[in-house]
């Protein structure tokens, strides 16, 4: 562990890859990370010279769907990066070591590569009751995370759990599941999604590897290159949206024709992700292409955003089927009723008001002599 | 009643042209924004062709909503400006109660409106204080709708103005939440309009000072003894 880590090129050579394979891999990685052709040289250089950074992959409250997605990155040569060329020193799901051996592995990595290793975190951290809801080797998730994050070169939050809490943090959030950027003070790259797209995960990590720095992030800490646009913006059904041609029921003719799923509660217009561009499983499809609306799984708090098949969330405190429109209609009708009742009362008092007005005004320029009478 | 003195009324020029223009432009904008907003939230099933490229009504509705939003916003800015340079009935201090007399007037108007009692004190010829406060609150809602609306628009626009509001999205926890709040506050306008229009008629009736027509011609009428 203390010896100098080989670069990716060196590691590839020992596995029998040719220079051509290496160059192909570099261009693939560059393309995925969104590097210009002119930047290819720096990619090659990075992979030739830089020692491959050790990676620590922590799992907390999660379902491992992020890992599942990751190992299905569509370009084998890119996913090989992580499994063959990155040194994935610690990951509960995939490592061979177990028990004390595994813990030693983690500590050696952190100690020998302080300031160099990349920390990947999958899952949220329970903060309630001293974190007893998620412990590994007798230590709370919070403890482990804080220790691992202290000397990490970069921290990446995989998936919605680590980025914004996902289902564990959904109301009422019994374990006080907390996304990691709220726990550690370092900048965190949030890669939300339930799970995130495998290719996006590979691309983010490639970016960190190649440039040795964090990619451009948006206001919610997500890499702009993948979360800069809404699923809606590049959706192939978008023309139907602008045309106003919507699916009205799951089994209607319009659904068969592939019209826009907006009225079926599709969250595409409010969800920032690369699904409609990158697609899933080697670019095969994505939810909307398969005929189901987007559920907005990469958005903050998507579990609490009401039923997936409706656009307005349930209005809190008024029962599960009540939307803002129901409440609004009731308030609107109440206002109209109140106004009508008021008008009726005013009409009943009409005579008094009118008489009062007449008394206090003049009909002619000169007040009549007998005006004060009556 | 015999001691009641007959009085003369004088014309008072209350609403200047910019105020009236603002009012009606705002009314039109709000109406258009509500209707188009409803359609965007819950589009009607209008299909008059077989292929998407042959129709564009939903895009047009959204376009109208966005254009109207810009008009609404700049109209609102002009009104704020006029609150500092306009006549005394248009000034900003008509909207924020801070003196004891202001709170007295609010109580007074509430009595007239809800208990339907006869006005004891004097109700301002311009905005009465209760109306002023309500308009101030509605200005805050305008601002909220502007912030959330432009924030939602910022992701589909490259222009400078909407981009200024992009920070609202992360602050409120994402597009879904912003959209939800933008929709909820739309209902404020519906309820406001119902009550506002009714109260204009009601005050016109019980005060007899030409409240309704004043927003067209600018004139209201005040009793001689009040004006002194």
């Amino acid at each position: 562990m203390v010896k100098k880590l080989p670069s990716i090129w060196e590691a590839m050579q020992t596995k029998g890859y040719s220079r051509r394979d290496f160059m192909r891999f570099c261009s693939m990685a560059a393309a995925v990370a969104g590097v210009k052709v002119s930047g290819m040289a720096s990619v090659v250089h990075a992979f030739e010279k830089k020692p491959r950074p050790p990676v620590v992959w922590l799992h907390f409250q999660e379902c491992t769907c992020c890992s599942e997605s990751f190992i299905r990155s569509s370009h084998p040569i890119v996913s090989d990066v992580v499994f063959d060329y990155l040194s994935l020193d610690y990951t509960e799901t995939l490592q061979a070591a177990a028990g004390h051996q595994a813990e030693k592995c983690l500590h050696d990595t952190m100690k020998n590569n302080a300031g160099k290793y990349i920390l990947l975190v999958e899952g949220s951290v329970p903060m309630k009751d001293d974190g007893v809801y998620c412990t590994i080797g007798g230590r709370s998730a919070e403890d482990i995370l804080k220790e691992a994050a202290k000397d990490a070169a970069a921290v990446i939050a995989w998936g919605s759990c680590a980025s914004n809490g996902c289902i564990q943090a959904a109301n009422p959030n019994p374990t006080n599941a907390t996304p990691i950027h709220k726990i550690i003070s370092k900048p965190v790259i949030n890669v939300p999604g339930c799970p995130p797209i495998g290719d996006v995960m590979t691309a983010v990590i490639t970016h960190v590897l190649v440039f040795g720095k964090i990619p451009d992030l948006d206001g919610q800490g997500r890499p702009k290159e993948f979360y800069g646009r809404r699923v809606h913006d590049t959706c192939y059904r978008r023309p139907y949206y602008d045309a106003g041609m919507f699916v009205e029921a799951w089994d209607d003719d319009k659904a068969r024709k592939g019209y826009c799923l907006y009225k079926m509660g599709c969250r595409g217009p409010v969800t920032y992700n690369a699904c409609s561009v990158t697609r899933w499983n080697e670019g095969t499809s994505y939810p909307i292409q398969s005929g189901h609306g987007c559920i907005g799984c990469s958005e903050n708090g998507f579990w609490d955003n009401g039923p997936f098949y409706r656009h307005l969330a349930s209005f809190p405190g008024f029962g599960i089927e009540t939307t803002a429109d129901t409440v609004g209609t009731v308030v609107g009708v109440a206002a109209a009723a109140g106004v009508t009742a008021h008008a009726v009362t005013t009409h009943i008092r009409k005579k008094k008001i009118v008489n009062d007005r007449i008394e206090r005004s003049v009909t002619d320029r000169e007040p009549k002599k007998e005006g004060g009478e009556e | 009643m015999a001691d009641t003195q007959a009085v003369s009324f004088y014309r008072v020029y209350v609403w200047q042209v910019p105020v009236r223009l603002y009012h009606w432009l705002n009314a039109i904008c709000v109406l258009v924004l509500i209707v188009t907003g409803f359609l965007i939230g819950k589009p009607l099933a209008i299909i008059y062709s077989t292929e998407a490229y042959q129709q564009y009504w939903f895009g047009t509705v959204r376009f109208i909503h966005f254009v109207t939003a810009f008009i609404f916003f700049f109209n609102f800015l002009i009104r704020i400006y006029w609150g500092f340079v306009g006549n005394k009935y248009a000034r900003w201090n008509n909207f924020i109660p801070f003196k004891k007399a202001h709170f007295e007037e609010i109580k007074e108007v509430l009595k007239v409106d809800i208990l339907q009692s006869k006005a004891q004190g004097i109700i301002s010829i311009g905005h009465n204080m209760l109306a002023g406060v309500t308009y101030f609150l509605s200005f805050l809602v305008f601002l909220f709708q502007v912030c959330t609306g432009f924030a939602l628009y910022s992701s589909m626009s490259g222009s400078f103005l909407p981009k200024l509001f992009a920070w609202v999205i992360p602050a409120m926890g994402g597009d879904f939440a912003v959209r939800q709040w933008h929709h909820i506050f739309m209902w404020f306008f519906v309820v406001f309009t119902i009550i506002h229009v009714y109260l204009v008629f009601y005050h016109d009736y019980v005060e007899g000072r030409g409240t309704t027509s004043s927003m067209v011609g600018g004139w209201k009428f005040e009793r001689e003894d009040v004006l002194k």
Side-chain angles (χ1 to χ4, degrees):
Chain A
M1 270 297 170
V2 263
K3 68 179 189 299
K4 186 183 171 293
L5 290 158
S7 72
I8 286 179
W9 169 226
E10 283 156 0
M12 280 180 91
Q13 279 174 306
T14 60
K15 300 230 160 143
Y17 284 100
S18 67
R19 179 72 183 175
R20 177 176 284 266
D21 289 329
F22 173 67
M23 291 307 284
R24 273 178 59 204
F25 161 67
C26 288
S27 28
M28 192 79 83
V32 173
V35 180
K36 282 184 283 189
V37 180
S38 56
M40 261 301 288
S42 62
V43 177
V44 175
H45 183 80
F47 286 162
E48 267 178 343
K49 298 277 187 267
K50 279 189 200 164
R52 52 182 193 158
V55 171
V56 170
W57 186 317
L58 297 177
H59 296 254
F60 298 129
Q61 288 185 318
E62 44 90 349
C63 71
T64 317
C65 75
C66 302
S67 299
E68 290 285 348
S69 176
F70 187 64
I71 58 176
R72 279 164 185 74
S73 295
S74 57
H75 306 293
I77 200 159
V78 178
S79 55
D80 281 353
V81 176
V82 179
F83 298 114
D84 285 357
Y85 320 131
L86 278 182
S87 118
L88 192 53
D89 291 324
Y90 181 87
T91 166
E92 282 105 346
T93 317
L94 300 167
Q95 68 196 352
H100 293 296
Q101 233 183 341
E103 292 306 305
K104 184 176 180 307
C105 203
L106 174 62
H107 282 101
D108 287 347
T109 310
M110 294 196 294
K111 210 172 82 194
N112 299 329
N113 301 289
K116 288 185 213 142
Y117 62 92
I118 298 175
L119 177 65
L120 312 177
V121 184
E122 191 176 341
S124 60
V125 175
M127 300 293 276
K128 203 172 166 187
D129 302 328
D130 297 325
V132 294
Y133 303 106
C134 179
T135 61
I136 300 158
R139 296 177 62 205
S140 73
E142 186 191 354
D143 253 13
I144 299 170
L145 173 66
K146 280 183 173 161
E147 190 194 0
K150 194 159 63 79
D151 292 322
V155 184
I156 302 179
W158 279 156
S160 290
C161 299
S163 306
N164 50 44
C166 206
I167 195 163
Q168 308 87 281
N171 189 39
N173 192 358
T175 64
N176 190 17
T178 310
I180 63 162
H181 65 88
K182 290 193 179 156
I183 296 171
I184 57 178
S185 46
K186 281 194 172 173
V188 174
I189 307 171
N190 285 330
V191 186
C194 192
I197 304 169
D199 295 318
V200 167
M201 299 172 79
T202 334
V204 171
I205 204 165
T206 309
H207 192 287
V208 175
L209 279 182
V210 173
F211 299 107
K213 63 179 183 196
I214 292 176
D216 265 1
L217 304 179
D218 69 3
Q220 297 184 47
R222 305 173 295 194
K224 278 185 187 165
E225 46 194 323
F226 306 108
Y227 295 91
R229 303 178 79 186
R230 301 171 302 165
V231 170
H232 187 59
D233 294 324
T234 46
C235 181
Y236 79 102
R237 297 197 187 198
R238 177 64 192 262
Y240 291 107
Y241 174 85
D242 290 323
M245 298 163 96
F246 302 104
V247 173
E248 306 284 337
W250 288 115
D251 53 356
D252 70 359
D253 191 42
K254 294 157 186 164
R256 265 194 297 282
K257 284 178 180 158
Y259 287 0
C260 175
L261 293 162
Y262 175 70
K263 284 176 89 170
M264 305 311 290
C266 178
R267 301 283 195 263
V270 290
T271 304
Y272 293 78
N273 209 334
C275 298
S276 45
V277 177
T278 310
R279 311 208 178 185
W280 291 75
N281 302 320
E282 300 183 35
T284 307
S285 182
Y286 70 113
I288 297 167
Q289 191 174 347
S290 309
H292 190 284
C294 165
I295 62 171
C297 76
S298 58
E299 283 296 308
N300 190 12
F302 75 102
W303 292 104
D304 290 328
N305 286 344
F308 291 145
Y309 303 110
R310 215 168 53 197
H311 262 291
L312 286 172
S314 303
F315 206 82
F318 289 87
I320 201 120
E321 286 299 317
T322 318
T323 64
D325 279 346
T326 328
V327 176
T329 310
V330 170
V331 176
V333 169
V339 153
T340 314
H342 197 282
V344 170
T345 338
T346 312
H347 187 75
I348 292 166
R349 296 171 57 248
K350 181 179 172 182
K351 203 162 182 219
K352 194 164 170 288
I353 294 169
V354 171
N355 285 342
D356 185 49
R357 285 283 137 228
I358 291 169
E359 273 171 30
R360 293 166 69 166
S361 59
V362 284
T363 43
D364 285 322
R365 253 277 158 249
E366 275 181 273
K368 285 174 190 161
K369 282 277 184 293
E370 61 277 21
E373 233 177 63
E374 201 198 348
Chain B
M1 293 274 170
D3 56 334
T4 313
Q5 191 81 45
V7 289
S8 303
F9 276 77
Y10 280 88
R11 273 181 203 283
V12 184
Y13 189 55
V14 179
W15 313 126
Q16 294 165 295
V17 174
V19 174
R20 282 177 280 150
L21 271 181
Y22 157 77
H23 176 270
W24 291 113
L25 196 53
N26 194 48
I28 294 166
C29 284
V30 166
L31 188 69
V32 171
L33 287 168
I34 289 175
V35 172
T36 52
F38 255 124
L39 282 172
I40 293 168
K42 209 180 240 178
L44 299 171
I46 302 172
I47 294 176
Y48 50 84
S49 52
T50 47
E51 291 301 333
Y53 70 88
Q54 291 163 325
Q55 65 174 62
Y56 194 71
W57 76 264
F58 194 63
T60 309
V61 166
R62 291 174 67 245
F63 177 74
I64 294 170
H65 191 82
F66 303 146
V67 169
T68 315
F70 273 98
I71 299 171
F72 173 85
F73 177 60
F74 286 109
N75 190 37
F76 178 40
L77 288 188
I78 291 168
R79 181 63 185 88
I80 291 173
Y81 166 74
W82 200 254
F84 293 92
V85 299
N87 69 12
K88 67 171 180 172
Y89 304 108
R91 286 194 100 77
W92 63 273
N93 53 14
N94 284 272
F95 302 97
I96 305 161
F98 49 89
K99 287 189 202 149
K100 190 158 176 281
H102 292 159
F103 292 99
E104 291 296 318
E105 192 183 339
I106 291 178
K107 260 191 261 168
E108 182 74 32
V109 179
L110 277 175
K111 273 193 223 158
V112 173
D113 285 357
I114 295 169
L115 305 176
Q116 305 201 333
S117 64
K118 210 169 99 179
Q120 300 300 318
I122 294 154
I123 297 178
S124 314
I125 184 91
H127 296 301
N128 71 55
M129 207 60 224
L130 181 66
V133 174
T134 311
Y135 300 152
F136 182 67
L137 290 179
S138 71
F139 288 163
L140 295 181
V141 177
F142 288 6
L143 198 64
F144 182 83
Q145 291 298 72
V146 163
C147 288
T148 51
F150 277 128
L152 286 171
Y153 187 62
S154 67
S155 63
M156 41 184 136
S157 163
S159 351
F160 169 73
L161 182 65
K163 290 279 174 220
L164 289 180
F165 296 90
W167 58 272
V168 175
I169 303 270
M172 290 180 73
D175 278 30
F176 187 92
V178 177
R179 192 177 183 280
Q180 175 92 349
W181 284 111
H182 193 68
H183 192 111
I184 289 170
F185 273 84
M186 179 275 301
W187 281 103
F188 168 85
F189 292 88
V190 175
V191 175
F192 175 89
T193 308
I194 294 171
I195 297 174
H196 172 72
V197 171
Y198 174 72
L199 282 182
V200 168
F201 291 166
Y202 176 69
H203 277 267
D204 191 312
Y205 189 55
V206 297
E207 288 174 18
R209 298 193 292 186
T211 312
T212 314
S213 66
S214 71
M215 205 34 86
V216 178
W219 300 98
K220 271 195 178 181
F221 304 92
E222 189 57 287
R223 277 157 52 195
E224 189 182 22
D225 56 334
V226 173
L227 285 173
K228 278 177 204 138

